Amino acid sequence: MITFTGPKQPLLRYIREQRRVVAGLTDDYTAMAEAILDDHKRQWRSDRSVYLISSKVFWKRAGTYDEHGHRLTTDDDYVYVGDDDSVEGLATRIAHRVAGHDHRRAVTLLDCAERASPMVEIALAVLLYECTLEWDTDETLKEAARRLALQAAWDAHRRFTESSPLAIFLGVASEFGSSRMPADFAREWLSTRSEIEVWLTRNGIAWGDVSLPAKEAAERAGMAPASWSSITSRGLAPAEDHKNSRGAKSWRPATIDAWMVTTPRRRDSWNRTAQ
C-alpha cells in the first residue's frame, strides 16, 4: 500500500517572491510607461503597438501589433501597448516582461495545478476506495490534492517539462505508480460515487470542497444554465452530488470535471489553461 505524505511544495513561495520583484520593478518603470503611452497615442496607424525595452531608460517603437506581435512570444524585450492601457497597467506589464519567461511559466503552472487539482481529488478518492493508498495525513481530499498538484507543478517548473492540467495530473499519478489517465478515474468515480462516498465517510476522510449550485456548475461546464439543467435531467451529465431541504441541487467541481474529461467535446476545455 502506498503512502503519500511529503514536504510542502515551494511553487507558491517562489511566485510570491517573484511578485515582490515585479512590484518593485513596476515602480521603476512607471515613468517609462507614461512616456511610451504618450508616444503610442501620437501614432495613428494602429490601436495597438509593440515597443522594444532595452534598458530602464531606453525604449523605441517597433511598429504595429499586426506587424510585430509575434515578437511577444519569443522575446521578453518587447511589450505591447493598447489605447485603453493605463500607466500603472503598462508599467506592470513591462515589469512582468523584465521578470522574464521563468516567472510567467511558474504562474502558468500554478493555473495548471489549480485546474488539475479536482481531478487529483477524484484519483485519490478512487485509489483510496480500491485500497491502493493509505491515508496518512490529516488533510482533506481537497487539501491533499492541491498540495500534490502544486508539487507536480514545481517539479515541472524545475525540469522545464510540459505545462498543462493533464501533465500535472499525470505527474501526480506517476508518484503512485499509476499510468491511468484522468478519464479512467473519472469513469470509475461517476459510476460508483455513492459507494466511494460511503467508504470515505466510514473511514473518516473528509472531502473538504464546496459544491456549486446549478448556475455555477453550468458555468464550470461551459454552457448555459438551461442547457445544463436539460442534459442533467436527461441523464447526459451527472446527477447532483447534494440536494438541500428546499430541493436545490449542487455539484462538486470534481464531478463536473470528471464528466468533462469523459466527454470528447469537453475534454479539451478541461485541459486548457487560462493564459
Side-chain angles (χ1 to χ4, degrees), residues 37-266:
L37 274 174
D38 287 342
D39 182 79
H40 168 72
K41 289 174 181 177
R42 288 197 297 269
Q43 307 297 327
W44 55 270
R45 292 182 60 197
S46 174
D47 59 353
R48 288 192 296 175
S49 302
V50 174
Y51 283 79
L52 170 66
I53 312 295
S54 58
S55 73
K56 285 189 176 181
V57 296
F58 181 77
W59 54 268
K60 69 175 183 179
R61 187 174 187 272
T64 67
Y65 184 89
D66 291 341
E67 295 169 337
H68 296 276
H70 65 280
R71 298 181 184 275
L72 300 171
T73 61
T74 59
D75 195 329
D76 290 329
D77 291 334
Y78 289 86
V79 65
Y80 78 87
V81 184
D83 287 349
D84 297 329
D85 277 328
S86 65
V87 171
E88 181 181 359
L90 178 56
T92 301
R93 188 180 307 135
I94 294 172
H96 276 286
R97 299 299 291 185
V98 172
H101 175 76
D102 196 55
H103 172 245
R104 293 196 301 278
R105 175 171 164 76
V107 172
T108 297
L109 282 164
L110 173 60
D111 173 65
C112 292
E114 299 289 6
R115 188 63 173 160
S117 189
M119 277 308 305
V120 175
E121 296 169 24
I122 294 289
L124 290 177
V126 169
L127 290 170
L128 286 164
Y129 177 68
E130 295 173 347
C131 296
T132 304
L133 289 180
E134 180 180 352
W135 195 250
D136 59 341
T137 175
D138 293 330
E139 297 165 296
T140 63
L141 269 179
K142 183 179 180 66
E143 291 168 341
R146 186 170 188 267
R147 171 172 59 80
L148 292 165
L150 287 169
Q151 182 61 53
W154 178 246
D155 291 342
H157 179 69
R158 290 186 299 131
R159 297 170 184 166
F160 296 97
T161 52
E162 179 187 351
S163 55
S164 70
L166 175 60
I168 299 304
F169 178 92
L170 295 177
V172 175
S174 69
E175 292 296 313
F176 306 140
S178 175
S179 59
R180 290 154 74 178
M181 297 294 287
D184 299 324
F185 287 106
R187 281 189 287 269
E188 182 72 14
W189 166 250
L190 293 173
S191 64
T192 56
R193 269 190 295 170
S194 298
E195 294 90 334
I196 292 174
E197 287 190 343
V198 168
W199 189 95
L200 292 172
T201 301
R202 185 185 304 136
N203 286 273
I205 300 172
W207 201 294
D209 64 346
V210 177
S211 295
L212 304 176
K215 182 178 179 180
E216 293 177 27
E219 182 179 351
R220 187 173 186 89
M223 62 180 64
S227 299
W228 178 251
S229 176
S230 175
I231 65 171
T232 54
S233 66
R234 289 182 288 146
L236 301 177
E240 69 280 358
D241 289 296
H242 305 290
K243 183 186 292 186
N244 66 19
S245 58
R246 298 189 301 274
K249 302 175 181 179
S250 60
W251 288 258
R252 283 194 171 98
T255 296
I256 299 169
D257 287 4
W259 173 73
M260 291 176 72
V261 301
T262 56
T263 305
R265 292 178 59 187
R266 302 285 172 180

